[in-house]
Amino acid sequence: MSQSRRWWALVVLAAAQFMVIMDTSIIGVALPDMQQDLGFSQGGLQWVFNAYVVAFGGLLLLGGRLSDLFGARKIFSTGWAILIAGSVVAAAANSAWLEILGRGIQGVGGALIAPAAMTLLMMLFSHDPRELGRAMSLYGAAAPAGGTAGVFLGGVITEYLSWPWVFIVYIPIGLATLLAVPSLLPATPGRRGSVDVVGGLSATAGIALVVYAIVDLNWIAAAGGAALLALFLIVQRTVKAPLMPLSIWRTPGLAVSNLAMTLLGAAWIPMWYFLNLYLQQVLGYGAFPSGAALLPMTIAIMIFMIGITARLLGRFGAKPLIVLGLLVLAAGVVGLSFARPDGSFVADVLPASLIAAVGMSLAYIPAMMSAMSGARPEDAGLASGIVNTTYNVGSALGLAVMTAVATSRGAADLGNLTRLTDGFQAAFVGAAVVAAAGAVLSLVFMRTPGRAVQDQPDPARV
């Protein structure tokens, strides 16, 4: 493949990374409008986010396995076709359940796109370490850029068009990507092997039932979710080609690093979700001002992750940054817990949100690198898939728990600003406790100081 064609292929792959990450942030400021039009309850609204991340996180490992067996280009294209279909359903939804279905379908598409894109990138650039470094840096930068763009575009689209357009925007981009795939991306042969469909579906369905059980305090759903997760573990022990060989957990540092990622997601995503609601339902911001209010936080994340955290990681190692990052995140979220019913953006949101963003930026990449640093080269892809999965699962579970906490403290009383704020404050306190617990557990149980990660690829590329 020619030099120019490889770099155009990278544009397609980076755009895919951009869109997959943007899909988790673009809906934030549209949530109140969707709630009003589709009849979501205050507690049920979190499923607009969780339907995506449960499907995406639960099926990532299956998506990687399918990419190996059937060829990365084919799975990449299939993922885009599914993402487009989910976007059509989500945009056309006239009821809450149909919206949740569309978001779940989008998550399935994302779970196929992400691992296939990484495989294709490695195929295109692994022959030259310098080119691979540049390609990985550009690909990695697409993630925070997608998160930032999603916050801003979600506000613009919702304010000046309507919330269905936050999903419609994926359709022409997806179709253009599908048209570009045959000419830009290399054909990738598959290989013989079996697919652990039962493992992938049981894990995803189990997580979804556990989240539902937390929100609705439904013990039958909790029992069903626990049974499905137990089935997943049994299948991983017994099938010939498991999605997640349980022996991977003997990798030094893997378990505690994944625990840190789980708790990071369980603190960060509820903070982001309830901050969106506070801006619109309490302070009365419209969709565009709300999106603009979140931009300083998301820009700070992008600057720190790309320009600062990588250097600090090389100097101090992973463990100190994970502990410090989670503590700083906890401090920022505690600051948000003092938000008032008659508050303001400058006093109640901006300082605390920037502190929380710094904490997130300090902890995320070191936790990911720590999870991968002890894995054997042949297990690096699996370790990466697991740590991405645990972050998404932690996000879903944390949001479910904090939604239940907020609802119990008055967040369901729309229109009553004092009760709403009380509920949101309780959710912020809960998220801060989770982040602080992550810092303590990382400090106590992370045995390696994290210096080993210096020998890993440049963390900015992750």
Side-chain angles (χ1 to χ4, degrees):
M1 180 180 288
S2 67
Q3 180 85 349
S4 61
R5 186 179 168 192
R6 280 206 312 276
W7 290 102
W8 278 111
L10 177 63
V11 171
V12 173
L13 299 176
Q17 169 82 329
F18 180 94
M19 298 299 288
V20 166
I21 300 302
M22 189 173 78
D23 212 1
T24 64
S25 63
I26 196 170
I27 55 97
V29 294
L31 288 171
D33 285 5
M34 296 169 69
Q35 181 179 21
Q36 183 175 353
D37 289 351
L38 301 179
F40 279 100
S41 67
Q42 188 79 334
L45 187 61
Q46 53 101 20
W47 280 105
V48 178
F49 179 83
N50 269 352
Y52 180 88
V53 297
V54 168
F56 178 70
L59 294 174
L60 265 176
L61 295 178
L62 180 60
R65 178 66 173 164
L66 291 173
S67 179
D68 289 341
L69 295 180
F70 296 102
R73 189 173 82 171
K74 183 180 295 184
I75 296 302
F76 183 81
S77 297
T78 302
W80 270 108
I82 293 172
L83 182 63
I84 292 169
S87 300
V88 170
V89 173
N94 57 7
S95 64
W97 74 266
L98 198 58
E99 184 62 44
I100 292 170
L101 175 64
R103 289 290 289 163
I105 295 171
Q106 283 188 308
V108 173
L112 298 181
I113 292 169
M118 180 59 72
T119 300
L120 288 164
L121 187 149
M122 295 300 295
M123 289 182 60
L124 287 166
F125 294 99
S126 60
H127 66 284
D128 185 334
R130 290 185 179 181
E131 280 198 356
L132 179 61
R134 290 194 294 270
M136 289 290 284
S137 295
L138 291 170
Y139 182 81
T148 303
V151 169
F152 182 72
L153 287 177
V156 173
I157 291 170
T158 305
E159 183 81 16
Y160 297 108
L161 295 171
S162 60
W163 66 261
W165 284 89
V166 302
F167 304 114
I168 293 172
V169 69
Y170 286 90
I171 298 171
I173 294 173
L175 293 174
T177 300
L178 288 176
L179 289 174
V181 164
S183 60
L184 291 179
L185 298 184
T188 51
R191 56 186 175 84
R192 299 179 66 180
S194 59
V195 182
D196 181 15
V197 175
V198 174
L201 295 182
S202 61
T204 306
I207 295 165
L209 278 177
V210 169
V211 170
Y212 175 76
I214 293 170
V215 174
D216 264 28
L217 298 178
N218 188 315
W219 295 107
I220 295 176
L228 285 170
L229 293 175
L231 173 63
F232 170 74
L233 294 176
I234 292 170
V235 169
Q236 300 315 289
R237 279 189 171 276
T238 56
V239 298
K240 189 174 183 180
L243 290 177
M244 186 183 70
L246 299 184
S247 60
I248 187 71
W249 292 100
R250 292 197 290 268
T251 300
L254 182 69
V256 67
S257 299
N258 274 276
L259 177 61
M261 282 295 280
T262 301
L263 296 177
L264 179 61
W268 174 259
I269 292 301
M271 184 223 71
W272 169 85
Y273 176 87
F274 285 106
L275 185 54
N276 270 294
L277 296 186
Y278 173 75
L279 288 167
Q280 296 193 53
Q281 295 180 348
V282 176
L283 297 187
Y285 280 29
F288 176 69
S290 179
L294 294 172
L295 268 182
M297 180 175 67
T298 51
I299 291 173
I301 290 173
M302 187 163 67
I303 292 172
F304 263 80
M305 279 193 177
I306 295 175
I308 298 174
T309 303
R311 294 187 178 92
L312 293 176
L313 181 59
R315 183 172 181 180
F316 297 106
K319 180 177 178 178
L321 292 185
I322 294 169
V323 174
L324 177 62
L326 286 165
L327 287 175
V328 172
L329 174 59
V333 184
V334 166
L336 290 172
S337 73
F338 291 101
R340 301 160 294 167
D342 59 346
S344 69
F345 167 72
V346 173
D348 295 76
V349 174
L350 181 61
S353 68
L354 289 176
I355 292 170
V358 171
M360 171 64 169
S361 304
L362 288 174
Y364 183 83
I365 290 177
M368 177 171 285
M369 294 300 293
S370 178
M372 297 173 60
S373 64
R376 298 174 300 175
E378 60 268 28
D379 290 332
L382 176 60
S384 174
I386 290 172
V387 75
N388 278 287
T389 297
T390 56
Y391 177 79
N392 282 280
V393 170
S395 301
L397 294 176
L399 182 54
V401 171
M402 299 315 154
T403 297
V405 169
T407 301
S408 71
R409 294 295 301 274
D413 293 344
L414 290 173
N416 186 329
L417 299 188
T418 300
R419 291 279 288 163
L420 270 177
T421 306
D422 287 345
F424 297 160
Q425 287 175 341
F428 290 137
V429 170
V433 169
V434 169
V440 171
L441 292 171
S442 298
L443 179 64
V444 173
F445 293 108
M446 192 169 285
R447 290 180 295 176
T448 60
R451 303 295 295 185
V453 299
Q454 292 177 336
D455 297 329
Q456 295 298 316
D458 181 355
R461 297 184 294 183
V462 175

